Amino acid sequence: MEYNEEYFAESANRKAMAIWAILGIVLSAAYALEIVKGLRTVQYYIVFVLVCWIPFIVGLLVLKVKGRATKYYREVLVIGYGIFYAFVLMTTTSQLAFTYIMPIASMLILFKDTKFMVRCGVESVIVLLIFIIKNYLGGMNAPSDVTNYEIQLAAIILCYVGFILSSNHLTKSDAAMLNSVKDNLDRVITTIQQVKTASNSVVDGVTVVRELADENKEGAGAVVDSMQEVSQNNDVLGGRIDSSLDMTEDIARQVSNVVELTKRIKEIIEASVQHADTSTKDLAEVMESTNMMEQLSSEIEHILGEFRQQFDMVKQETGTIENITSQTNLLALNASIEAARAGEAGKGFAVVADEIRNLSMGTQSSSGSILEALGHLEHTSERMTESVTEILKLIQETLSSMTAVNESVTTIAADSRELGSQIQVIDSAISQVEVSNQNMVDNMQQVRNIMETVTDGVKNSETTTKSMLGKYEETSKNVLHIEQVVGKLIEELGAGGFMGADDIKAGMSICVIASGEDRKNAEFKTRVIKVHDGNILIDAESAKDFFESGDKHQIYKLQAIVDNEMYSWDNIRIHKEQNVYVLSVSGNPKVVNRRKYPRLSIQNSCQIILGPDATAYRGTMLNISAGGCAFTVTDPAFATAPGKAMKVTIDDFSLLQGKPLEGIVIRSTNDEGCYTVGCRLIEDNDAICEYVKTKMH
């Protein structure tokens, strides 16, 4: 059982009161029988009852007003019962009445106060001496009476001496035992403090393990979801690959067709090149023939010119013949005239003249025919000249056209050769495409096989991860079990007196709870100014309204969070001193491990103020709960952050309205310069608890 001074003081008062009540009842009954026997009067009995029970009732009132553990009760007991004891001794002649003090005197050992017992013994001896003197002077002075007086006095003195010696012995024995226990207890306390520290470390470590297990569980769940998504995507990708394989095969067939068509085009172009070469040769021959025709036409034109010149000469000669014929005819006419004039002598000459004239006429006729023929020949020659001229023009135009055609055919031949060369390149490229396409088909098939392997691996990984999730759940259960065991250990350590108000430090957050009917569960949260002699001091101005608004007999409870535990005291006493309220706590608090809350993953950016220098850093939130939070940050200052105070302000988090969360860093994990930091809040936040539950639902 836990030692509680107030409890044992109350128990001593209660036991003394019980003995007092029993003696009062017994003596009241005994004296009532004397009234029945006629040995006492009713008036005496009334006075007896008043003297017996009035001090007892006064003692009850003192207990009610001052508390059941008050030290004033033993004074009331000694004085009140002493008056009753003196009254009984002074109103009786019984030699055994002196023993009425013995039960009460034996109860004085409960108070473990030697001086008080000596004082009570002296008072009892004085009352007994008065009783002896009264009886001695009243005639009870025989030697036997004196012997009885000596025995009574010796019995009282020896009883008190025995009680005092016993009390001293018990006190010294208890002191020696307590010193021994204290020495052992100091060692035990040191050990327990180490156990307490280790337990807190274990709780912190277990809390970190639990948080990591929760985060790993969440991560594993995300991995399972991702793997399921990967598996689904692999199935879709497999279908796409199958479709791609089909399309690739179609492409391969189309490439084969293109290759065939390219070969055909190549053949046609090669034939076209050959035809173009042949056409070029033919055009060269045609141009050569045309050139020759041009030359021949020029020669014909030259010949025609010479013919025209000869024709003009013939025409001139014909004109000369005609002139000669005219002159011959004129001469024949003259000759005829002369022959006529000569007569007979001139007949022969006339005959010659006639023949000459006839010949002249015939020549003239022939000349006319020749002239007519020459006229026709001239006309024909002009027409021929015109035709030859036209032919020459046509030949010239044809030659120009043939030159252009020759150039075009040459260009076509060159382009055909170039096209053939390009077709050769295309053919080579198409062949490479065909090979590449075949390789792609092979690669796609390999990808398909790999995707099937990956899918099988993902399914196996999914199974493994689900198994890991089961293990995480089992780990979480074991962690919770460890927390419960350690929490129970901590609670038992607290119940043993190793946790108390001394663990509370200035600046810590505490909560005062009103437990009366009129203000049940009303709360006031504040910070500790100072802790002195087990009393907790808080600011009076901030707490004024809370304490003065309730009944002065209001009952309060106190809760304080120390490390990862919550201390709770019932029935604390509160009084005001100057500018502070003093919260007086007694005994040891109830110690319970803090509640566990669900965590919600968030990705908001945040600002962190670390340590007393109030340096601000930027980070990203990972999760949040009513009792803690976690974030990532890249500054090396967080490598040594565990144990330091921090404030984190979450961006775009309307629930807190820009107010920072205050807490202690309990872990910091370095992942290649990125620190994952876990924090425990100074006090639980109910608003965040409801927010997380709502979001998770």
Side-chain angles (χ1 to χ4, degrees), residues 62-246:
V62 170
L63 290 176
K64 181 68 175 177
V65 175
K66 296 295 185 179
R68 294 182 180 276
T70 180
K71 294 181 179 181
Y72 294 111
Y73 182 72
R74 62 184 182 180
E75 301 293 340
V76 174
L77 171 67
V78 170
I79 295 173
Y81 191 78
I83 293 172
F84 171 68
Y85 179 64
F87 172 77
V88 171
L89 287 181
M90 298 304 169
T91 59
T92 185
T93 58
S94 173
Q95 296 296 326
L96 298 176
F98 79 95
T99 62
Y100 295 165
I101 198 64
M102 299 301 181
I104 294 298
S106 66
M107 295 299 296
L108 298 179
I109 299 176
L110 294 172
F111 299 110
K112 293 183 179 181
D113 189 340
T114 302
K115 293 181 180 180
F116 177 69
M117 292 180 66
V118 169
R119 182 161 56 85
C120 292
V122 170
E123 290 175 358
S124 297
V125 170
I126 291 172
V127 171
L128 183 59
L129 286 173
I130 295 172
F131 169 69
I132 292 172
I133 293 171
K134 179 186 80 71
N135 286 344
Y136 186 86
L137 295 176
M140 297 179 64
N141 50 18
S144 58
D145 294 330
V146 173
T147 301
N148 289 333
Y149 296 151
E150 292 174 351
I151 293 172
Q152 291 174 4
L153 188 61
I156 288 295
I157 292 174
L158 289 175
C159 282
Y160 272 101
V161 170
F163 292 154
I164 291 171
L165 292 176
S166 298
S167 177
N168 283 334
H169 175 76
L170 291 175
T171 301
K172 291 180 179 179
S173 176
D174 288 347
M177 181 178 67
L178 286 174
N179 289 331
S180 177
V181 169
K182 184 179 180 181
D183 292 338
N184 293 328
L185 191 59
D186 288 338
R187 292 192 294 270
V188 171
I189 287 175
T190 302
T191 303
I192 294 300
Q193 289 290 357
Q194 294 173 351
V195 172
K196 173 185 171 183
T197 302
S199 298
N200 287 331
S201 299
V202 169
V203 169
D204 290 341
V206 168
T207 301
V208 171
V209 170
R210 179 179 58 79
E211 291 176 357
L212 293 175
D214 292 342
E215 292 176 4
N216 289 337
K217 180 180 178 182
E218 182 179 352
V223 169
V224 169
D225 295 338
S226 298
M227 285 184 175
Q228 290 176 347
E229 185 177 356
V230 168
S231 181
Q232 294 173 356
N233 291 336
N234 282 343
D235 292 337
V236 174
L237 183 58
R240 298 292 174 85
I241 288 174
D242 290 338
S243 177
S244 298
L245 282 172
D246 294 338

Side-chain angles (χ1 to χ4, degrees), residues 551-624:
D551 182 19
K552 65 179 180 178
H553 300 299
Q554 173 74 60
I555 299 173
Y556 295 99
K557 295 190 298 184
L558 174 65
Q559 290 181 348
I561 294 175
V562 181
D563 292 331
N564 204 41
E565 293 76 47
M566 183 167 63
Y567 295 179
S568 178
W569 286 271
D570 297 332
N571 299 324
I572 63 170
R573 296 190 300 275
I574 300 176
H575 66 277
K576 187 176 181 182
E577 293 182 1
Q578 296 180 353
N579 60 340
V580 296
Y581 274 102
V582 179
L583 311 182
S584 300
V585 298
S586 59
N588 296 303
K590 296 178 182 177
V591 183
V592 294
N593 202 19
R594 292 177 67 181
R595 296 170 288 178
K596 304 300 180 297
Y597 298 98
R599 290 177 172 265
L600 177 68
S601 296
I602 59 175
Q603 299 296 322
N604 301 51
S605 57
C606 61
Q607 175 180 279
I608 308 101
I609 297 178
L610 182 65
D613 58 350
T615 303
Y617 305 91
R618 297 298 300 177
T620 302
M621 295 297 298
L622 289 177
N623 55 56
I624 191 172

